[in-house]
Every structure is written in structure tokens, then in C-alpha cells.
Amino acid sequence: MEAVPLEEVQNCVVKLRSNPQRRKNQVYVGCGAGFGGDRPMAALKLLERVEELNYIVLECLAERTLADRYQVMLSGGKGFDPRVKEWLSMLLPLALDREVCIITNMGAIDPPGAQKEILDLASSLGLEITVAVAYESSISGPENSVLWNESMGVAEGRSTYLGAAPIVHCLENYKPHVVITSRVADAALFLAPMVYELGWNWNDFEKLAQGTLASHLLECGCQLTGGYFMHPGDAYRDFSFEQLRDLSLPYAEVSYKGEVCVGKAKGSGGLLSYSTCAEQLLYEVGDPANYITPDLVVDFSDVQFHQISQDKVHCKGAKPSDLRRPEKLLQLFPTPNGWKGWGEISYGGQECLRRAQAAEYLVSS
């Protein structure tokens, strides 16, 4: 068992990679989870059915779950996702056999704690693995705290949306079987292995834009493959419940030139089409011409989707916006009266404006 040392600290200033090497001409990155309550069995099915996979990403952390972990940790509980052992016990044996690296943000407030949990699990399974950790920390204070405040004597619970760079650093320097992170922007979890394997640098803006497109499409799991698309009675969005029973998680095939195809397991249920891709493209996007991530600001306004087969769609047209990079990173922190936040729900299709206005009325009343 090997735990990557935790003493290496770097800031968030973008630094170009030194002589990045192209390790593959194309990389296959799968989404094994799109939210904290997702299903390990669905991720295992993706591993079993898509043999080309090089990476599988478990995106299991959001603002609510981050706040939950902080509160639990203050009460003496685990600051990482308590299901990490359940997930990894199911996925690790096959992932190691297939040489698939697992990347996950299940570290939440305490990634080093999650690292130890996974190493203990691997030991009990008789598996030899390396687990790397990419997380936010302060230079001073207890080694395993998150942004320790000496005057308070407790972890402040602040959490910054990190980009792909710390994950790339882990992949490049430690060749891990598992990478555990704290709060990392969802798309960055998927972009990191593309940057590492395809030899991209942080000024390859056109390629990074296409990689971010693929990452954004993948990050919510089955939303891309029909999970939210079915609408009984709608001629364009109606499909059988039988198709939903075998809903496949998605994956992306990305070339070193920035060519992107998204896919689902061959012959699986659900639906992957121009329409499901367009729906997910606009999910949680304020301005499509300026989609902000820690690594790049991307313009999605000219994105096009072309159906290649029942299980694969070609995606092109993402480009860097005029802004190129964000001026600041987003940081969450608890206030004396608790956590503050705001949410957004998108509506599309027939009568979408009226349905959105009805929802707004219900929330405000």
C-alpha cells in the first residue's frame, strides 16, 4: 500500500506544464457517478461493458453534501463521503484488473481521511495500490486540517473550487490507481486525465475548450443518456420504461487533437442523441458564451452534435471565450448563521416558461 506524501503545497496560479508528454492518441474517460446518491452498480456496469475505459470519475460532491460533511466533522464524524468504502470495494478489483484509474471528489472536507479508508480497504482485499490526494490546505496548522484557523482552533470549513491542475500533478508524479480530491469543479475531474494523457498544456486553449465540453457533458452522469429526458406523451421525448431499466452511464472518447465523441455502452438502454446532448450542454450554464471553470472560460455558442450511431455522438465547436481564464476562483464558507447559497432550476420544452413561473410562485409562497 502506498499513500502519497501530503507535504507538497502549491498555490492556484496557473503554471505551464514543463515539456508535457503525449501518452495516448486518445483517452477514454467514463462517468461512474453524477451525484452523491448515485448507484455503484451502474458504475460497475460501465466498467464491465466499456473495455476501452482508461479512467472512471465518481462525481459525488456538491454544496449541500459538502456542508453536510463539514457539520458531521465538527461533531466528530467523518469529513469524507461515508460511502467511499462501499463504492471502492465494488470497483477497485475490476478497475485494477483493467488498469482503469479512479478519480473522485469523495474526499470532501477530509481527503486524507478518505485516503486512509481506501488504503485500509485495499489491504483487506489483498490489493496493492497507490492513492494520491489533491486537496485544499493551509501551509500552517495541523497537517490534516482544511484551512486551519489558529485563533478558532477548528477547521473553518472554507472550500475553494479547484481546477484540474492538482489532479494532473498527482497523475504525472505518482501514477496512482486512485485520486481523492476535496471540492474540485465538476468538469475539472474529467478534464485532468485528458490533459495528462494527451500532452496538453494550459495554453492549448482550443483543445482545453473541447475537453471542457466533453467534461461538462459527462459530469451529471445519466442526464446525458436520457435520465431526465423522458416525457410521456411527447412525440419527441417519449421512450419505454424498458429503456430506462438499462440506463447506461456515459463516457467520452477524446483525441489529442481535441476531437470529442460521447458514448454509452453498446446496446444499452436510455437515449443518447442530439437532443440529450443539447439538454445537458445548457444544464447549469448561465451564459453559454462564457461558461466559467477554474481552468478556462469556454464559449459553447457554436457547439454542434452529430449522431454517429445509436450509442455515440460527435461533439465539436467549443472554443475559448474572449475572457480565456476566470479572474477569481469561487470559494464557499460557513457564516455565523449557517451556510448561504442559491440554486437554479432549468426548464425546457413545451410550456417551459409557464412551468418555470409556476415553480417560482410555489417557492416564493
Side-chain angles (χ1 to χ4, degrees):
M1 301 302 106
E2 183 179 354
V4 171
L6 300 176
E7 67 269 9
E8 191 169 355
V9 179
Q10 299 188 26
N11 62 32
C12 292
V13 176
V14 175
K15 304 178 186 70
L16 291 184
R17 300 175 67 201
S18 177
N19 191 29
Q21 300 297 307
R22 187 201 310 167
R23 292 167 174 80
K24 299 179 184 294
N25 288 330
Q26 58 186 20
V27 63
Y28 290 80
V29 182
C31 178
F35 68 104
D38 225 330
R39 308 148 298 151
M41 184 56 69
L44 182 62
K45 283 185 178 180
L46 186 70
L47 262 179
E48 291 172 338
R49 298 169 77 173
V50 183
E51 296 184 3
E52 300 90 343
L53 281 186
N54 306 118
Y55 293 84
I56 187 164
V57 176
L58 310 178
E59 197 291 286
C60 297
L61 189 65
E63 292 71 34
R64 177 189 60 79
T65 44
L66 189 68
D68 288 345
R69 287 300 97 205
Y70 174 65
Q71 295 292 344
V72 169
M73 193 172 182
L74 287 182
S75 302
K78 295 179 179 179
F80 55 87
D81 192 317
R83 298 182 68 202
V84 67
K85 187 173 181 179
E86 174 192 355
W87 276 88
L88 273 293
S89 62
M90 187 173 292
L91 298 180
L92 259 182
L94 183 57
L96 286 179
D97 184 61
R98 294 273 179 86
E99 298 184 342
V100 175
C101 177
I102 299 171
I103 299 175
T104 180
N105 53 13
M106 297 177 87
I109 293 292
D110 184 19
Q115 180 190 44
K116 183 179 184 304
E117 183 98 338
I118 294 168
L119 288 171
D120 290 346
L121 169 65
S123 179
S124 70
L125 296 174
L127 302 174
E128 290 286 336
I129 65 171
T130 298
V131 181
V133 180
Y135 75 115
E136 180 180 9
S137 180
S138 62
I139 296 175
S140 61
E143 183 178 352
N144 291 341
S145 69
V146 177
L147 286 174
W148 189 267
N149 184 321
E150 293 179 350
S151 64
M152 293 174 62
V154 295
E156 290 183 356
R158 290 186 297 184
S159 185
T160 304
Y161 281 68
L162 303 178
I167 304 174
V168 174
H169 180 83
C170 287
L171 296 173
E172 199 157 40
N173 289 277
Y174 308 117
K175 310 297 187 292
H177 302 94
V178 180
V179 180
I180 299 291
T181 78
S182 56
R183 189 60 174 115
V184 171
D186 295 353
L189 294 165
F190 300 87
L191 181 64
M194 301 175 199
V195 172
Y196 169 66
E197 296 286 359
L198 303 175
W200 294 350
N201 214 327
W202 300 114
N203 58 357
D204 291 326
F205 296 113
E206 298 291 337
K207 296 173 182 177
L208 291 172
Q210 278 288 106
T212 302
L213 168 62
S215 302
H216 175 62
L217 292 174
L218 291 179
E219 67 186 37
C220 292
C222 289
Q223 285 186 196
L224 182 65
T225 51
Y228 277 174
F229 190 74
M230 184 183 184
H231 194 142
D234 186 321
Y236 299 99
R237 292 194 290 162
D238 197 358
F239 54 87
S240 71
F241 285 101
E242 289 296 323
Q243 283 181 270
L244 282 179
R245 287 199 178 109
D246 189 27
L247 198 65
S248 169
L249 284 159
Y251 68 93
E253 172 189 327
V254 185
S255 80
Y256 74 96
K257 295 180 179 179
E259 298 162 330
V260 172
C261 285
V262 292
K264 63 184 182 71
K266 289 183 180 179
S268 61
L271 179 68
L272 179 64
S273 67
Y274 169 93
S275 297
T276 63
C277 289
E279 181 180 64
Q280 175 57 28
L281 177 70
L282 297 177
Y283 182 74
E284 294 183 335
V285 171
D287 178 1
N290 291 284
Y291 175 64
I292 302 173
T293 77
D295 303 296
L296 189 72
V297 183
V298 187
D299 184 351
F300 286 155
S301 56
D302 292 328
V303 166
Q304 299 178 36
F305 301 113
H306 301 279
Q307 194 91 37
I308 295 176
S309 70
Q310 183 179 349
D311 302 312
K312 188 175 287 189
V313 173
H314 180 244
C315 317
K316 66 178 184 179
K319 58 190 178 185
S321 76
D322 293 337
L323 298 175
R324 293 294 173 101
R325 296 196 194 280
E327 295 180 357
K328 300 178 181 179
L329 297 181
L330 179 64
Q331 186 177 80
L332 303 176
F333 59 94
T335 69
N337 297 319
W339 290 73
K340 293 182 179 179
W342 59 276
E344 181 177 284
I345 301 176
S346 302
Y347 287 83
Q350 297 174 349
E351 301 291 342
C352 60
L353 180 59
R354 291 181 62 185
R355 285 189 283 123
Q357 289 171 335
E360 185 177 35
Y361 172 79
L362 289 172
V363 170
S364 60
S365 62

